[in-house]
Amino acid sequence: MSSTASTLQRAEVQSLSKPEPPQRSVDMVQLLTKYPIVWQGLLALKNDTAAVQLHFVSGNNVLAHRSLPAPEGGPPLRIAQRMRLEATQLEGVARRMMVESDYCLLLALPCGRDQEDVVNQTESLKAAFITYLQAKQAAGIINVPNPGSNQPAYVLQIFPPCEFSESHLSRLAPDLLASISNISPHLMIVIASA
């Protein structure tokens, strides 16, 4: 038997002996360790809400802790403005993302109390947020003041799947993007100082 044939045969035996589902859960555990959840709560737009968990991808995670509301019983993250997905706007965001201490990149995924709730939150995230933002060709904007102030201290820019978000996620977190792109709707969130 040639070495190529015996190598292929060994590979076949190995692939038969490795059960796929446990491997998938190990991958998810590794991904959750690499991209930890920094916040869970409600995202709101007009009269719609969706429960999401935000995973830290890159940048300065201190910005996330300073700008996001208390996860337990805190107010929802309410999208109040939009930013058109135009080259000049996107260049400004990309410039901010060149200095690691100036931005925090998060990935929002649907979450819920149980499997049925996750399905409902997934549908809500898709219909009320992703489809809406893609139809408007816009990112959602949330201005967050420091406690006790009305002046915006942080800006959260919420991107639906688009060329801009996918290019940054594929560069910064290709393993995470590959594992969720076919199974879960997602939003990319960039936090920066106002």
Side-chain angles (χ1 to χ4, degrees), residues 65-99:
H65 297 294
R66 286 186 182 156
S67 63
L68 298 169
E72 293 305 313
L77 282 173
R78 184 166 295 283
I79 297 172
Q81 295 173 290
R82 293 191 309 254
M83 173 187 85
R84 301 234 0 115
L85 296 176
E86 294 170 346
T88 53
Q89 302 276 13
L90 297 175
E91 284 165 15
V93 178
R95 254 195 316 277
R96 274 231 145 115
M97 293 174 67
M98 290 178 167
V99 181

Side-chain angles (χ1 to χ4, degrees), residues 162-173:
C162 60
E163 189 180 329
F164 180 78
S165 65
E166 302 299 292
S167 70
H168 284 285
L169 288 171
S170 62
R171 182 173 55 83
L172 297 166

